[in-house]
Amino acid sequence: MKILLVVYDNEMYINVFPTGLGYIAAVLKKSGFDVEIYNQDLHHYPEEHLTRYLDKHHFDMVGLGTIGGYFQYKKLLKISEAVNKSKNRPFYVLGGHGPSPEPEYFLKKTGADAIVIGEGEETIVELAKALAAKRSINNLDGIAFMERGKAVVNQRRPLIKDLDLIPFPAYELFPMYFYRLLREPHCASGDFVAPMISGRGCSFRCAFCYRMDEGLRCRSTEGIIEEIKMLKTNYGITYISFFDELLISSIKRTTELCEGFIRAGLNIRWTCNGRLNYAKPKVLQLMKKAGCVFINYGIEALDDEVLRAMNKCLTVEQIVKGIEATLKEEISPGFNVIFGNIGDNKNTLQQAVDFLLKYDDGAQLRTIRPVTPYPGSPLYYYALKNGLLKDCADFYENKHINSDLLAVNFTDMSDKEFHKALYDANQKLIKNYFKNKTKTSLDEARRLYMELNVNFRGFRQT
Ligand code: B12
Ligand code: SF4
């Protein structure tokens, strides 16, 4: 049985290694299936190329995973059209955060034969085995499929309890020489970067966040270290970007992980996502010692009522204390702020701008984006209930046209006032960023010419 897994083109200079698809490829390969990766991202192939490729080569199954971004949605429709056009069309399966919460809509819209809902490793193997044996797929847990023009959504499959039982992503099938060029905050010119996940899920339930699978599961420290060592040896990786929602899921867990990294002498730099309620001096010191250079924090808002309304389980006091502690340990904080949550107004936006200007360390251009009620999130159901959204089609086809523009307005401001307020806020942040950049570049020029800095490597180095 031959399976083609498609990595869609994000149309960016460099794409992120598709971890989810890497896991899917690994379990299929381990189960004895013949897996090939189609890298639309690497070659920027037009969609017709995929149709021709499928026409020329025989595959029994073609798979694609997407998230629910507006860009990814449009891309998914184009790729689906390309698959459906092929004279040799294989069984077409979708997965990921995009289709999972609304499988019925995605089946009808894309013409896919099945959707794997949520965590995909066990379901895809069961599906492939059933197809290979020409057995019915109708009773498989964790899938949705079409039957006589109607979408059938089967019950969810229980989550994999022990994440250490899942093999590492099948890196060997992907062009790692390309993906390792990813740039992340504070990585050096010579660093090779790889994303990794240290666990799955999150123990919180913020209103705007779509949680595909319930709860939080962590990988063992030993398993993580083994994968890092393999990435260092096989692909020269020197910098790891932990992409899972919550590496800092507790002080105990973070301490264990950092002590493990130090004991193993990994000597890598790394970044992760974290929660400010756990950002305490002792654990931050240890993180720094273990190589952490950047922590991406979900701040979202600088107003306690807005934070409460979104069920963030954070206070402004915790945010300020956590950011100050992080900066004190000389770890760069990533500030993710969203505007337009229930209770937001011009004053709360101003508080966010003041905060971002006060604590900016120049590591990233920080702008504020509107909140988006992604399907499956509590905010999406709130929007449906309150008539702000009609349905999934309304979200994808009419409202979610660009993630920097309003999809649904949850504030008392008009849409025009909302965009003007965001423009004013982001104008200040952009000006501040470039003012600091100008200053650092001029400082470098002064050191070069006035102090004859022989270590200077050029203004255009990245
Ligand atoms: C890393 C990451 C990114 C990276 C890169 C993602 C990538 N490589 O594609 C970057 C930073 C680029 C990114 C961007 C965005 N992201 Co993002 N991102 C993530 C994050 C934190 C981790 C993804 C990951 O690697 N997960 C680990 C792997 C193992 O899980 P997985 O990918 O889901 O794969 C599993 C299943 O989905 C399934 N599966 C996946 N693919 C396939 C394919 C087949 C054939 C099958 C059968 C199964 C299957 O099986 C896999 C194994 O179990 C997730 C949160 C999360 N928990 O996943 C958010 C998340 C996916 N992102 C999200 C969003 C909204 C975005 C943005 C659209 C935000 C924005 N407003 O701009 C942007 C997109 C912008 C752009 N230009 O692309 C949302 C998606 C919500 C939704 N409904 O889709 C998430 C869930 C965060 C959240 N909770 O809100 N993101
Ligand atoms: S926004 Fe972050 S903390 Fe909140 S539920 Fe999502 S992953 Fe968890």
Side-chain angles (χ1 to χ4, degrees), residues 341-403:
N341 286 284
I342 296 162
D344 257 330
N345 53 45
K346 277 189 189 161
N347 292 336
T348 61
L349 181 60
Q350 189 55 48
Q351 283 158 19
V353 171
D354 292 344
F355 172 87
L356 289 174
L357 291 177
K358 181 168 175 193
Y359 290 106
D360 183 28
D361 68 348
Q364 273 187 324
L365 170 59
R366 273 116 191 185
T367 51
I368 300 175
R369 303 181 114 183
V371 64
T372 304
Y374 283 102
S377 66
L379 199 59
Y380 172 72
Y381 296 111
Y382 173 91
L384 290 181
K385 197 170 151 211
N386 289 280
L388 298 168
L389 261 181
K390 278 209 265 329
D391 49 22
C392 186
D394 190 30
F395 176 80
Y396 280 112
E397 298 285 334
N398 308 324
K399 303 284 191 343
H400 185 42
I401 44 168
N402 186 303
S403 32

Side-chain angles (χ1 to χ4, degrees), residues 445-459:
R446 186 190 47 75
R447 270 199 304 279
L448 168 67
Y449 299 114
M450 311 311 286
E451 295 169 17
L452 305 183
N453 174 18
V454 290
N455 295 322
F456 184 73
R457 292 294 309 277
F459 289 111

Side-chain angles (χ1 to χ4, degrees), residues 208 300 337-341 344 349 367-374 379 400 402-410 418-419 422 426:
F208 57 86
E300 328 306 357
V337 175
I338 44 180
F339 178 62
N341 286 284
D344 257 330
L349 181 60
T367 51
I368 300 175
R369 303 181 114 183
V371 64
T372 304
Y374 283 102
L379 199 59
H400 185 42
N402 186 303
S403 32
D404 281 287
L405 294 175
L406 255 184
V408 173
N409 192 343
F410 296 98
F418 185 98
H419 284 132
L422 260 188
N426 283 324

Side-chain angles (χ1 to χ4, degrees), residues 62 189 231 247 279 300 307 343 395 399:
V62 57
S189 318
L231 286 168
L247 179 133
E300 328 306 357
L307 287 165
F395 176 80
K399 303 284 191 343

Side-chain angles (χ1 to χ4, degrees), residues 20 67-68 72 96-97 120-121 209-210 212 243 245 369 374 403:
I67 58 175
Q72 288 77 11
H97 283 80
E121 285 88 346
C209 183
Y210 167 50
M212 190 173 68
F243 265 170
E245 291 92 329
R369 303 181 114 183
Y374 283 102
S403 32

Side-chain angles (χ1 to χ4, degrees), residues 410-439:
F410 296 98
T411 70
D412 293 333
M413 303 161 88
S414 71
D415 290 8
K416 203 168 168 192
E417 282 171 337
F418 185 98
H419 284 132
K420 173 72 172 63
L422 260 188
Y423 173 59
D424 291 344
N426 283 324
Q427 211 182 33
K428 287 181 199 147
L429 296 172
I430 292 167
K431 277 186 186 161
N432 173 64
Y433 176 77
F434 286 104
K435 197 174 103 200
N436 289 342
K437 273 262 165 264
T438 306
K439 187 178 169 310

Side-chain angles (χ1 to χ4, degrees), residues 92-246:
Y92 179 32
V93 58
L94 295 176
H97 283 80
S100 285
E102 293 276 4
E104 191 170 344
Y105 175 74
F106 277 85
L107 278 172
K108 289 185 181 152
K109 198 72 200 174
T110 61
D113 297 303
I115 285 175
V116 166
I117 304 166
E119 183 170 71
E121 285 88 346
E122 289 186 346
T123 311
I124 193 72
V125 170
E126 289 303 311
L127 181 64
K129 280 183 181 165
L131 291 174
K134 302 204 174 358
R135 268 190 279 118
S136 160
I137 62 163
N138 294 15
N139 292 322
L140 290 183
D141 286 350
I143 65 159
F145 59 97
M146 294 300 285
E147 192 175 46
R148 280 179 248 111
K150 277 193 79 182
V152 181
V153 182
N154 285 355
Q155 65 174 17
R156 292 288 299 261
R157 184 176 290 273
L159 296 177
I160 301 167
K161 280 205 189 82
D162 182 358
L163 293 183
D164 285 349
L165 297 178
I166 306 174
F168 297 157
Y171 295 107
E172 67 283 3
L173 298 179
F174 292 81
M176 293 307 288
Y177 58 86
F178 166 64
Y179 292 119
R180 69 182 186 172
L181 296 177
L182 180 71
R183 298 294 84 188
E184 288 285 79
H186 297 294
C187 68
S189 318
D191 270 331
F192 287 132
V193 181
M196 249 183 83
I197 66 151
S198 72
R200 290 184 182 181
C202 172
S203 40
F204 294 86
R205 262 234 148 270
C206 306
F208 57 86
C209 183
Y210 167 50
R211 306 256 26 86
M212 190 173 68
D213 298 310
E214 289 293 322
L216 167 73
R217 291 160 296 154
C218 300
R219 294 175 62 189
S220 70
T221 301
E222 296 72 39
I224 295 169
I225 292 175
E226 199 190 322
E227 187 173 346
I228 296 175
K229 283 186 176 163
M230 185 277 289
L231 286 168
K232 280 182 76 171
T233 310
N234 292 1
Y235 306 104
I237 299 300
T238 49
Y239 184 119
I240 301 282
S241 188
F242 287 103
F243 265 170
D244 44 311
E245 291 92 329
L246 210 53

